[in-house]
Amino acid sequence: NAGVTQTPKFHILKIGQSMTLQCTQDMNHNYMYWYRQDPGMGLKLIYYSVGAGITDKGEVPNGYNVSRSTTEDFPLRLELAAPSQTSVYFCASSYSKGRGTYGYTFGSGTRLTVV
Amino acid sequence: DQQVKQNSPSLSVQEGRISILNCDYTNSMFDYFLWYKKYPAEGPTFLISISSIKDKNEDGRFTVFLNKSAKHLSLHIVPSQPGDSAVYFCAASAFKSSGDKLTFGTGTRLAVRP
């Protein structure tokens, strides 16, 4: 049982370039999330999805896009990368029975540097 | 606006003693609270949670206390072990208004000295 898998683990991106961070979960979780963590800061929610075909913005969505075509996959797209997007990105999933009592399962993160 | 606050960025404790990590929140709609533990180069892992209808939840060496009137919760680790050295995040959700989305604190780095 792999849980939540994120790729790549590290990446250096040039300003203005685009890339997609991949996230896959094999637990049949209905909810998926993308967070970013900046040094000395908590995790900030970028986007989330409550099921295939349904996505919504979180606290810091600007500069990002997501899609959820399947239950398993929730890729995060960075368009026109900026240095402010240098961060560690975490994908997470959860099985919501309407109470969220099971907590999130996180991936190991993608460390992204924009130069 | 930091709705979940962990005012101590770091804590150092002797092995075998108690570790107490604190968390304060401002949103009175929060009704479910969780603690996550994070090792370097890994994602956070779920540790323990508590519903607002309780004031204490215990799981082995870990106990979470909730004081709703003070909007404060704490995580007690007894006895502390070197393997507990990690960053601990407090998180909260307001299910009725925002579903299962979690709001995280900034974390406290715990170092347990042998």
Side-chain angles (χ1 to χ4, degrees), chain A residues 35 37 42 48 96 98 104 107, chain B residues 32 36 43 89 95 100-102 105:
Chain A
Y35 283 85
Q37 185 191 12
Y48 68 101
S96 175
Y104 291 6
Chain B
Y32 198 74
Y36 283 82
F89 290 98
F95 177 71
D100 288 338
K101 295 192 299 294
L102 295 181

Side-chain angles (χ1 to χ4, degrees), chain B residues 6 11 14 26 30 36-37 50 65-66 68 81 85-86:
Chain B
Q6 294 177 257
L11 174 68
Q14 191 79 35
T26 57
F30 286 147
Y36 283 82
K37 175 180 180 179
I50 188 167
F65 295 92
L66 175 62
K68 289 188 291 293
Q81 300 174 353
S85 297

